[in-house]
Amino acid sequence: MLDKILQTFTDNDPRPKTLNNNYMGKSVTDPLVNKKFYTGFLPPNILKGKTVLDFGPCIFLSGAWSLYHGAKHVTGVEYSKQNCIIGRQCMNTFYTENWQLENTIIEKFIENNDQKYDVILIAGTIHKLSDKTKFLEWCVDHSDYVIIDSNYPPLWQYLLDVPKWWQDRDNKIFEDLYSAQDKEMMSKLCQSLEYGEWFQKFLQDKLPLYQHSINTGHKIVPLGAGAKTTYTSSNYYEYFFKYNGWQFQSMHSDYLTEHLPDYYTFPRRYCVAYKKVI
């Protein structure tokens, strides 16, 4: 049955008809690649008996995947009306209960929502939210397990608007993050091309892009209404979740790096997951 689920959702994915082939790679046309993706996103061992919430599920393959692996209930929040229509048709082919697919924007869904979810998946979505920190604060209050998949920011996001992403460097979450050497090197970097190796390490291991995660200085409207894309370093989530007492769960990133290295290798894409410490 799983093979039929993967084939059905892959066949009905609308993205190949509207986007170029590089948008999501082979996953939009190959059910076996989709199987690898979801094995990394939502491993079967974390799903049995759990409630799952997926922000930005497209046509909701994550929902069918989760129910197949024993999830108690799955919820999808998708802003595209067309994706919801297709997703509900595909879901009804296999499951007629224990799921819901909401056609709304994320900000509206979480507003005044006090429901708890065991697992939250945020794949290819968070980069279009205007206030990532506020959204993540909702997630840690309403879940025990959060998985985030996104792209590393392109270099120009670091080099442009330098004062904006430095102005929050004294926030309590990051008070010990930036050394005097970092600040000096970043100042020099803006005037020279000599620090490529240091800069790459800084991007990969240290810089959280905290300011870009809150307010780029540009007006960004909610997802689904022409939002601007603002990618955030995976290091930001490391600091955010550890500050809130959560533990990193490596099996997601380890699996995806091993089985989909074309996607999950710096500086392209990453997947991080954190579990609440009881």
Side-chain angles (χ1 to χ4, degrees), residues 9 15 24 34 37-38 41-42 47 50-67 71 73-80 83-84 87 91 98-107 109-110 113 115-126 129 135 138-139 142-143 145-149 223 269:
F9 278 84
R15 288 172 292 186
M24 284 291 289
N34 260 324
F37 270 114
Y38 283 93
F41 292 159
L42 296 168
L47 293 173
K50 305 296 186 180
T51 56
V52 180
L53 171 61
D54 185 352
F55 286 111
C58 192
I59 60 171
F60 208 25
L61 172 54
S62 62
W65 172 274
S66 297
L67 290 176
H73 189 276
V74 292
T75 302
V77 180
E78 172 59 44
Y79 78 93
S80 168
N83 285 350
C84 285
M91 286 294 291
N98 299 326
W99 63 270
Q100 63 187 101
L101 182 55
E102 299 284 340
N103 180 206
T104 187
I105 62 173
I106 290 173
E107 291 89 342
F109 178 83
I110 66 175
N113 183 346
Q115 186 171 342
K116 303 285 186 177
Y117 304 88
D118 295 312
V119 178
I120 291 179
L121 173 64
I122 312 160
T125 299
I126 198 168
L129 297 182
F135 168 66
W138 184 92
C139 290
H142 293 80
S143 181
Y145 204 108
V146 174
I147 305 146
I148 300 171
D149 156 85
L223 179 63
R269 198 169 185 87

Side-chain angles (χ1 to χ4, degrees), residues 234-245:
S234 57
N235 184 266
Y236 167 70
Y237 305 112
E238 179 78 1
Y239 278 84
F240 177 88
F241 283 101
K242 285 194 173 183
Y243 175 79
N244 283 282

